[in-house]
Amino acid sequence: MKARIHLIYTRVALLLALACSSFAAHLHAAETQPNVVLIFADDLGYGDLSCYGATKIQTPNIDRLAAEGKRFTDAHSSSAVCTPSRYGLVTGQYPFRAHGGKGVWKPTGLETPLIIDTEALTIADVMKRQGYDTAAFGKWHLGFKEGTNDWQEPLRPGPQDLGFDYYFGMPVVNSAPPYAYVENDHFYGSDPNDPIVDVGRSGKGSHPLSPMPKAAGHRTPNYYKGQKKAHDLFDDYEVGTKLTEKAVDWMSSRNGKPFFVYFATTQVHHPFTPAKRFQGTSQAGLYGDFAHELDWMVGEVRKCLEAIGEDDNTLIIVTSDNGGMFNTGGTAAAKLGHKINGDLLGSKFGVWEGGQRVPFIAWWPEHIEAGTVSDALMSNVDLKATFAAVAGHELSEEEQLDSINMLPALTGTPDNPLRTEMIVTPNKPTHTALRKGKWMYIPAKGDGGFSGNIAATKLVDTPNSDIVNGKIKKNAPRGQLYDLEADVNQTKNLYAENPEVVQQMETALKQYKTPNTKRKSN
């Protein structure tokens, strides 16, 4: 009898131990929520990284993430334009749906107010409500204040009204004024007795800018004076270093609390101003040197995570806001033999693949298998639902908007595609395109970007059946249909040969555009 009682006690004790162990493991998991670092490069083309085939540019730090993580080959920005793409990323909503269907199509201007409703659930809000510290660094380009942005402090609403605890970076873009950093809702180094003053578009009397060569590319003149200390603290050639220092300092001060970092670099947007130590290090001119600086920045972020013991508990994503651009630096790089968008047709602002198919690398030790490659279809709107899942939360259908949880594609290989269709927008609303399965449908001629995009096809030798000598043929079909499985470089327009498919795609696209309706994206 005693032996039987002893056996019962032993079994109960074992069950309690197992239960306590399970609870402890669950508690530990809750205490160690993974950090998330999103590095969102500017104008980084599909061919700009050596792990995506670049030979004139070497990106060892990013390549190492790819070698130890997963590289995606069918990832896309929601727009081929910087501001709309950022809108899609932050909100999880296609930019053409913004503002009651009016959409966001072009870069924000200097006086544009915040273009995202402060009541919207953002990618930062999602993380914040799961207990994360949140911060944004770098290029903002989504506007500040309400009505007209006069740049008078405080610069609210702004990033801190969209779920970010902290912000430091370029308020617009590195090629446009004001040429000063913003920290939270004030200029970095702000002097309340020296307010910023708009001197007009002549720029007369504005704060002087640092000199740079013509090869650096376009930089809009400064239109502001005042805030002298803030202006003095800004140097075009130190932006990458400064942003990285701020991001590293912030991550290092989290004291074990989970954090989300949105690091929107200015690399590789014009003007091309790499720090001196990177100049001349690539075989693709200043463009390539700027990409080398970006790679260094990624390396510094990883070093920081290792130093604070968070490298095994952090998901790092490296991607781009849109494809590469044939501006001064991009054109010079092309002439040196560098293919900014690989062999893809098109470039930034246009809806062809080169304008919106982007590099996408995911690294998360013990969760993502090293050295893997995925052809899963993905849009940057998907990161909102994906990061929510990483943080242990599932969004409601209303909260998801157009975002799809792609976490299973990051950590494994789903039996069925998570996303089978998506909308991509260029500079012109007339060219809003639909990707569905292998088909890409564009309801107009050309790419909907700048006229120079089409001319650039001759420069980089990306053939297309509608183009001859860098111009659209007069007898080209009125729309475009491409089989991306067979022809990812879009050499052959199949619009005329597939009228039934064209009709199906037209109908589906109209359903997306119908107000107050939501077509399933997966």
Side-chain angles (χ1 to χ4, degrees), residues 187-260:
F187 288 105
Y188 179 60
S190 174
D191 181 352
N193 297 315
D194 184 24
I196 199 165
V197 176
D198 189 335
V199 300
R201 294 305 179 258
S202 69
K204 187 176 181 180
S206 65
H207 191 279
L209 302 178
S210 53
M212 64 176 59
K214 186 177 181 180
H218 174 73
R219 177 180 60 179
T220 301
N222 196 6
Y223 300 142
Y224 300 96
K225 66 177 182 179
Q227 289 293 1
K228 184 179 184 303
K229 183 179 179 181
H231 275 107
D232 287 343
L233 287 171
F234 178 83
D235 184 329
D236 297 85
Y237 290 90
E238 295 179 359
V239 173
T241 302
K242 189 67 173 181
L243 295 180
T244 304
E245 288 176 350
K246 285 291 184 178
V248 165
D249 287 348
W250 186 87
M251 289 189 293
S252 299
S253 63
R254 294 308 92 202
N255 297 318
K257 190 173 181 182
F259 56 80
F260 167 57

Side-chain angles (χ1 to χ4, degrees), residues 37-41 44 49 51 59-66 240-241 243-245 247-248 251 263 265 267 277-278 290-306 314 316-319 361 363:
V37 177
L38 170 60
I39 299 174
F40 202 59
L44 185 73
L49 304 176
C51 57
T59 51
N61 291 304
I62 299 175
D63 294 354
R64 183 183 171 198
L65 292 180
T241 302
L243 295 180
T244 304
E245 288 176 350
V248 165
M251 289 189 293
F263 193 172
T265 75
Q267 290 74 12
R277 62 187 182 279
F278 300 106
F290 220 20
H292 281 188
E293 182 169 51
L294 168 66
D295 185 69
W296 170 82
M297 294 165 72
V298 172
E300 291 301 295
V301 167
R302 181 163 176 173
K303 285 180 184 177
C304 170
L305 294 172
E306 293 170 351
T314 301
I316 298 178
I317 300 288
V318 178
T319 188
I361 294 163
W363 177 85

Side-chain angles (χ1 to χ4, degrees), residues 57-329:
I57 294 173
Q58 301 301 316
T59 51
N61 291 304
I62 299 175
D63 294 354
R64 183 183 171 198
L65 292 180
E68 297 175 4
K70 182 174 287 188
R71 182 172 63 87
F72 287 77
T73 60
D74 204 2
H76 302 260
S77 53
S78 52
S79 170
V81 186
C82 45
T83 291
S85 176
R86 291 160 203 277
Y87 175 94
L89 170 75
V90 172
T91 65
Q93 182 181 53
Y94 290 132
F96 82 90
R97 299 193 198 274
H99 304 156
K102 292 180 180 179
V104 176
W105 303 94
K106 301 179 184 298
T108 57
L110 303 184
E111 298 175 350
T112 304
L114 182 66
I115 64 171
I116 297 176
D117 188 342
T118 56
E119 295 300 314
L121 181 71
T122 69
I123 196 170
D125 289 326
V126 166
M127 304 304 282
K128 194 167 177 59
R129 73 182 183 183
Q130 291 301 110
Y132 280 67
D133 285 349
T134 59
F137 299 91
K139 176 179 174 179
W140 181 240
H141 218 184
L142 290 168
F144 287 86
K145 308 192 75 169
E146 296 176 322
T148 299
N149 180 9
D150 60 4
W151 294 105
Q152 300 306 306
E153 299 171 334
L155 300 174
R156 303 292 286 267
Q160 290 177 295
D161 300 286
L162 297 179
F164 293 103
D165 297 320
Y166 178 77
Y167 170 70
F168 183 92
M170 295 294 301
V172 185
V173 60
N174 58 322
S175 62
Y179 294 105
Y181 298 112
V182 166
E183 184 171 34
N184 293 327
D185 58 6
H186 284 69
F187 288 105
Y188 179 60
S190 174
D191 181 352
N193 297 315
D194 184 24
I196 199 165
V197 176
D198 189 335
V199 300
R201 294 305 179 258
S202 69
K204 187 176 181 180
S206 65
H207 191 279
L209 302 178
S210 53
M212 64 176 59
K214 186 177 181 180
H218 174 73
R219 177 180 60 179
T220 301
N222 196 6
Y223 300 142
Y224 300 96
K225 66 177 182 179
Q227 289 293 1
K228 184 179 184 303
K229 183 179 179 181
H231 275 107
D232 287 343
L233 287 171
F234 178 83
D235 184 329
D236 297 85
Y237 290 90
E238 295 179 359
V239 173
T241 302
K242 189 67 173 181
L243 295 180
T244 304
E245 288 176 350
K246 285 291 184 178
V248 165
D249 287 348
W250 186 87
M251 289 189 293
S252 299
S253 63
R254 294 308 92 202
N255 297 318
K257 190 173 181 182
F259 56 80
F260 167 57
V261 170
Y262 166 45
F263 193 172
T265 75
T266 58
Q267 290 74 12
V268 290
H269 190 284
H270 63 86
F272 301 93
T273 55
K276 189 173 182 179
R277 62 187 182 279
F278 300 106
Q279 293 172 23
T281 60
S282 78
Q283 294 177 285
L286 288 174
Y287 185 101
D289 299 345
F290 220 20
H292 281 188
E293 182 169 51
L294 168 66
D295 185 69
W296 170 82
M297 294 165 72
V298 172
E300 291 301 295
V301 167
R302 181 163 176 173
K303 285 180 184 177
C304 170
L305 294 172
E306 293 170 351
I308 62 176
E310 293 289 342
D311 51 316
D312 288 337
N313 189 43
T314 301
L315 167 64
I316 298 178
I317 300 288
V318 178
T319 188
S320 179
D321 65 341
N322 44 249
M325 182 179 181
F326 290 105
N327 45 27
T328 301

